[in-house]
Amino acid sequence: MIQHPMTLTGPKEDAGDPAVVVATRPKTKRPPLYKVLLLNDDYTPMEFVVAVLERFFGMSHAQAFEIMLTVHKKGLAVVGVFSHEIAETKVAQVMDFARRHQHPLQCTMEKE
């Protein structure tokens, strides 16, 4: 007879015994997530922002264009939500890329 590995077998009188220990998993807390934001400025070309969104956030041209318009109209937009390490890397990559191309584009992160 094959028993399920989680099935507990034993005498029936143990069923109500308070000495029986029930294994429980400790609840693991999910790590906090961080929003990556692009901020609007008056100098970075819209095409550059679209290229950044495609390159570093894997967006299609249409998605990137929509987000770029949101940044332009509202002053900022959330471009992704990631773990701390990934968000930090994305911000650094975008900032480095913008500086190398002499654009003042700002990218930040904040806790979700």
Side-chain angles (χ1 to χ4, degrees):
M1 179 176 180
I2 298 174
Q3 291 184 345
H4 188 277
M6 296 303 286
T7 304
L8 298 174
T9 57
K12 290 189 182 205
E13 57 267 18
D14 285 348
D17 186 354
V20 173
V21 177
V22 178
T24 59
R25 282 189 218 162
K27 290 186 181 181
T28 54
K29 195 173 181 183
R30 289 202 139 158
L33 295 177
Y34 291 79
K35 297 184 283 191
V36 175
L37 305 143
L38 275 186
L39 308 176
N40 189 44
D41 64 72
D42 293 331
Y43 304 101
T44 304
M46 293 179 177
E47 297 81 22
F48 184 80
V49 175
V50 170
V52 163
L53 292 168
E54 290 171 345
R55 180 176 182 149
F56 297 105
F57 298 95
M59 294 183 188
S60 69
H61 186 76
Q63 290 170 318
F65 191 81
E66 286 298 315
I67 296 290
M68 176 277 297
L69 285 178
T70 301
V71 172
H72 181 69
K73 292 176 183 174
K74 296 191 175 182
L76 64 92
V78 175
V79 295
V81 179
F82 308 96
S83 68
H84 184 271
E85 293 77 15
I86 293 173
E88 201 170 51
T89 300
K90 298 272 186 197
V91 168
Q93 288 173 329
V94 169
M95 295 295 289
D96 181 57
F97 189 69
R99 297 305 158 262
R100 283 189 283 129
H101 289 84
Q102 300 179 344
H103 294 300
L105 182 65
Q106 293 293 307
C107 185
T108 62
M109 61 188 264
E110 66 182 38
K111 202 169 188 176
E112 190 174 44

